[in-house]
Amino acid sequence: MAPNANHQTTSFIHSAGKPSEWRKKDQVRRQHQHAASVAHQRGQRKRLPRSQALPVPANNSTLPSPPALRSDPSGSRFDPFDVFFVTNLSAHAQTMFQSAIIDQWPSFALSSRKQDIDRWRSVTVKYALESPYLVPAITYAGSSYRYFFGSRDSSAKFHRINFYHETLRQLREAMLQPDSQCSDAMLLAIAILTIHGPPNDMQGRTLVGSQQMRDYEYYGSKTWEPTHFQALLSLVKQRGGLHKLGIDSLAGIVMTIDIVDSISVLRAPAFPLFFPPSPVLQALRQCRKPDKSNSCQGFRFLRNRHLGRRLLTIIEDVDALLDAYDTVLKNPGSSIDFGQLVAAWRILQHQTLSLPSGEDLLFNLCRVAVIVFLVECLEPLPVTGAFHRNGSERLMLLIDECDKRDYWQTSPNTMLWATVVGGFISRDTSLRLWYIEQLRGSPITTGQEHWEKVLHLAEAYLPFRHRQAQGCQQFWNEGCKWLAIANPYLRTS
């Protein structure tokens, strides 16, 4: 029998050696886990009164509580175990499984409508019942999420690691079956591993606030395992692309994974959008605030450049995105659907990344600066992955080439806007000082008291707002201090 095609693209599933060898290794690992679990339970019995069924921290008041479970708008909590029951799960695993389905699955749905979210949850649980490897994957997602936001009881770390390795073990066994098929359930399990990454000890800060803000921080903090990502993309390509997947929400997850990875290295996405973007973008444009005659004026020169009109259209849509997000923050009860807002954000990222570079240097500068700006225009991301390093480096090379061609004299405002964008994302990288040195060419005097002028200049391009504006101001102030020390006779006009 010919080897299964999947085996060549799923190296993350295979342990070194023959199947008999990894079975022996897996048996040893299980023995170690069992011994650790027994020792842990014995230690708890020694430390705790018999009346306490579960270990609790010595001082509950000093630890942040995990986020509350998400409830449906109707007031009734979705409970998949009212209809489905996953056998052979411990009470802790049942809790983590249910937590993931309730708290996290809405952010994976393409629609924020209640009926669509409930259908997505139900389909997921149905697949979990049919495909055993999906159960520990979902359970790992729930335990990883709650661990991130403060669920740090003494057994949480052990269970989380166990769920992760159990998912790998069961996926491996499923893929080694002679009649193995790359099903939607298998792709979903690999996607979960890709999104959540290997277990780590990073802890979040957003302990209060909207569910969307917690989701944004959690998923923005994850560092992906490259082998999971490559396996996922290879298998989806074998299936024929995103439009061949049986679940739209699964296709949306893979699309998002593809876009986020593309952003980290500034490459074109591997897959085209599997749905028409026009309805989402048309709805977004209606959110644009009136009387914005000065908006995006700094980019008007693009109309006469190759591909410039396409880029300018994207930039105007990004400006509408900023207006819509501003409305959401100032008026949470507005009619703007946050899920659709995020969808529009991803569409614009996909469109900008898909736009090819040209021979025009200033066009290339604006394209990369807009890509970089767009990533953190809603909320800044933790500096954990490759995006900040690669993005600041790519933009640095373009600004440096523009500097050599005297663009600080011919296009000073565009250069300053791009430099501030680059300076913001260069935080915690070795390029921060390079961007500060570029401020020597600023058309605005480099003094902290002139920050409002920088904000006014940015309004003619893409404005700095909210926490992004705070980060840009921090870069400006830091640069002004540095340049004042480095050159006390710096020009003042």
Side-chain angles (χ1 to χ4, degrees):
M1 180 178 294
N4 192 301
N6 291 352
H7 294 174
Q8 298 176 0
T9 60
T10 53
S11 59
F12 83 107
I13 292 298
H14 299 284
S15 300
K18 300 177 181 179
S20 60
E21 294 176 354
W22 61 252
R23 286 194 183 97
K24 290 178 181 179
K25 293 180 180 179
D26 187 66
Q27 184 178 8
V28 172
R29 178 181 63 82
R30 283 174 165 272
Q31 290 172 348
H32 283 230
Q33 287 180 337
H34 176 71
S37 179
V38 171
H40 166 75
Q41 292 171 2
R42 287 174 178 171
Q44 289 301 316
R45 285 196 293 267
K46 290 179 181 179
R47 289 191 295 270
L48 296 174
R50 185 167 302 189
S51 60
Q52 288 181 284
L54 294 174
V56 295
N59 185 359
N60 263 341
S61 62
T62 62
L63 294 178
S65 59
L69 295 178
R70 186 199 306 252
S71 298
D72 288 333
S74 63
S76 61
R77 177 162 291 167
F78 175 87
D79 185 358
F81 302 105
D82 288 343
V83 182
F84 303 104
F85 181 79
V86 181
T87 59
N88 300 323
L89 283 185
S90 66
H92 178 79
Q94 294 276 11
T95 301
M96 294 301 101
F97 185 95
Q98 186 176 17
S99 173
I101 295 295
I102 293 173
D103 287 343
Q104 296 170 262
W105 253 236
S107 65
F108 298 151
L110 280 184
S111 168
S112 58
R113 294 186 303 177
K114 180 181 181 300
Q115 59 269 32
D116 294 333
I117 292 174
D118 285 352
R119 188 181 304 113
W120 165 228
R121 287 162 162 165
S122 298
V123 168
T124 300
V125 176
K126 176 179 178 292
Y127 278 163
L129 293 173
E130 298 171 350
S131 308
Y133 49 76
L134 190 52
V135 175
I138 297 171
T139 307
Y140 172 66
S143 62
S144 180
Y145 190 88
R146 291 174 72 87
Y147 187 87
F148 183 82
F149 287 114
S151 181
R152 295 295 186 93
D153 63 75
S154 55
S155 64
K157 185 173 183 179
F158 168 78
H159 286 300
R160 189 169 53 102
I161 295 173
N162 188 59
F163 296 145
Y164 178 77
H165 288 289
E166 184 65 17
T167 304
L168 288 176
R169 184 188 69 80
Q170 293 197 30
L171 271 173
R172 181 192 303 126
E173 292 181 351
M175 286 186 164
L176 289 177
Q177 295 297 321
D179 57 347
S180 173
Q181 298 292 326
C182 179
S183 64
D184 285 348
M186 185 174 290
L187 291 176
L188 179 56
I190 299 173
I192 290 171
L193 292 180
T194 303
I195 292 171
H196 295 273
N200 61 52
D201 290 328
M202 182 175 292
Q203 191 171 18
R205 297 170 298 172
T206 310
L207 300 176
V208 295
S210 68
Q211 182 71 41
Q212 290 90 349
M213 292 304 300
R214 290 199 292 267
D215 290 345
Y216 189 89
E217 180 180 3
Y218 174 76
Y219 295 110
S221 301
K222 295 282 105 178
T223 300
W224 293 351
E225 175 62 42
T227 49
H228 297 345
F229 170 75
Q230 292 300 331
L232 181 65
L233 259 62
S234 297
L235 292 173
V236 173
K237 288 178 180 178
Q238 288 182 21
R239 285 281 298 272
L242 298 179
H243 63 285
K244 293 293 185 178
L245 302 187
I247 315 173
D248 285 344
S249 290
L250 173 59
I253 292 173
V254 179
M255 181 194 73
T256 300
I257 291 173
D258 182 27
I259 292 173
V260 172
D261 186 78
S262 301
I263 286 170
S264 69
V265 292
L266 277 75
R267 65 165 174 84
F271 300 109
L273 295 173
F274 67 96
F275 57 88
S278 299
V280 177
L281 295 180
Q282 288 292 348
L284 177 69
R285 290 163 188 158
Q286 295 176 6
C287 300
R288 200 171 189 188
K289 296 179 180 178
D291 190 24
K292 300 192 68 174
S293 57
N294 190 44
S295 178
C296 304
Q297 285 292 329
F299 292 113
R300 294 301 178 192
F301 70 91
L302 291 171
R303 289 179 292 186
N304 301 321
R305 310 293 173 101
H306 177 60
L307 299 177
R309 288 185 179 272
R310 285 176 57 186
L311 179 57
L312 184 57
T313 299
I314 294 172
I315 290 170
E316 290 172 345
D317 286 339
V318 174
D319 189 63
L321 177 76
L322 297 175
D323 285 349
Y325 186 59
D326 190 57
T327 301
V328 168
L329 292 181
K330 294 179 179 178
N331 182 18
S334 66
S335 60
I336 297 176
D337 186 298
F338 189 82
Q340 290 295 300
L341 188 66
V342 172
W345 179 51
R346 292 302 187 195
I347 289 171
L348 293 173
Q349 289 175 340
H350 190 284
Q351 289 183 340
T352 314
L353 288 164
S354 300
L355 197 63
S357 299
E359 297 181 357
D360 189 293
L361 181 59
L362 204 56
F363 168 85
N364 292 338
L365 173 69
C366 293
R367 172 184 170 271
V368 172
V370 170
I371 291 173
V372 167
F373 174 93
L374 187 54
V375 173
E376 298 191 297
C377 67
L378 301 185
E379 288 292 327
L381 294 172
V383 185
T384 56
F387 161 70
H388 294 87
R389 180 182 67 254
N390 293 334
S392 58
E393 181 178 349
R394 181 75 67 86
L395 192 55
M396 178 269 290
L397 294 173
L398 288 168
I399 292 175
D400 184 59
E401 187 62 31
C402 288
D403 187 15
K404 293 176 182 177
R405 301 189 188 185
D406 294 328
Y407 279 32
W408 276 110
Q409 282 70 46
T410 58
S411 304
N413 291 353
T414 304
M415 289 288 285
L416 178 58
W417 180 82
T419 298
V420 174
V421 170
F424 171 53
I425 69 160
S426 70
R427 60 191 185 277
D428 298 332
T429 74
S430 59
L431 291 178
R432 182 79 160 189
L433 184 57
W434 185 91
Y435 279 98
I436 288 175
E437 287 291 333
Q438 279 295 307
L439 290 178
R440 293 182 184 278
S442 169
I444 297 176
T445 304
T446 49
Q448 296 183 45
E449 67 276 10
H450 297 298
W451 171 245
E452 290 297 325
K453 295 181 180 178
V454 178
L455 283 179
H456 180 72
L457 180 148
E459 289 291 332
Y461 291 85
L462 285 172
F464 306 131
R465 295 179 182 170
H466 310 299
R467 290 177 64 188
Q468 185 186 42
Q470 295 172 9
C472 290
Q473 182 178 13
Q474 183 178 356
F475 163 72
W476 174 261
N477 291 343
E478 183 181 332
C480 292
K481 290 178 182 178
W482 171 267
L483 294 177
I485 296 173
N487 184 7
Y489 303 105
L490 196 67
R491 61 182 174 83
T492 58
S493 62

